[in-house]
Amino acid sequence: MLDLANSPRLRPAEAREAAHEAAALYARIGAPGDQSIADRRYVALAAAPHHYRPPNAGLGLLTPAEKRVAEILAGGATKKQAAGSLFVSFHTVDTQLRSIYQKLGINSRLQLVRAWDRYKATSN
């Protein structure tokens, strides 16, 4: 349930409910450490702004800088290589990649490659 609460594909209300249920389940089985983690996730979700973007809403949501990072990383480069070719810091690329994942509703490099391939196929 906690993994579900952390899913970027879930609407905020559903994620909060999953975190709340995870905390209750951990309490029932006597796992106070995990219950505390689930409780903190619930509080964070309750305090977060409630902006929902559907999964894979499209690369049109990305800034031009994020598109450049997405293109380089989808091409197989590491974050360090992308930073070098764009003349920015590793941390800038890392931050942009996290933003890309959030905006596209994805959570892996493989999903980024697939999204980028779909984007390139439709833009040609």
Side-chain angles (χ1 to χ4, degrees):
M1 290 305 291
L2 188 55
D3 286 341
L4 186 61
N6 290 323
S7 172
R9 297 181 182 278
L10 225 54
R11 293 183 186 274
E14 294 168 333
R16 279 192 312 277
E17 181 62 33
H20 183 69
E21 190 168 334
L25 288 170
Y26 287 132
R28 274 187 243 136
I29 65 170
D34 291 326
Q35 179 186 356
S36 176
I37 292 168
D39 284 334
R40 284 194 307 271
R41 181 65 179 143
Y42 174 78
V43 169
L45 288 165
H50 305 299
H51 302 290
Y52 174 73
R53 288 194 177 101
N56 298 320
L59 288 150
L61 296 172
L62 303 183
T63 66
E66 290 168 342
K67 282 184 182 177
R68 287 190 298 275
V69 168
E71 180 178 20
I72 291 169
L73 295 177
T78 65
K79 288 188 271 189
K80 185 176 179 180
Q81 291 167 332
S85 68
L86 294 170
F87 303 102
V88 298
S89 75
F90 170 88
H91 298 290
T92 298
V93 172
D94 187 54
T95 299
Q96 289 175 333
L97 181 60
R98 280 187 265 127
S99 178
I100 291 165
Y101 281 4
Q102 189 271 325
K103 287 180 179 181
L104 298 181
I106 61 176
N107 56 17
S108 74
R109 195 72 69 91
L110 179 60
Q111 290 173 325
L112 175 61
V113 169
R114 289 177 180 158
W116 188 258
D117 287 347
R118 282 192 306 272
Y119 172 73
K120 294 307 286 180
T122 59
S123 65
N124 287 336

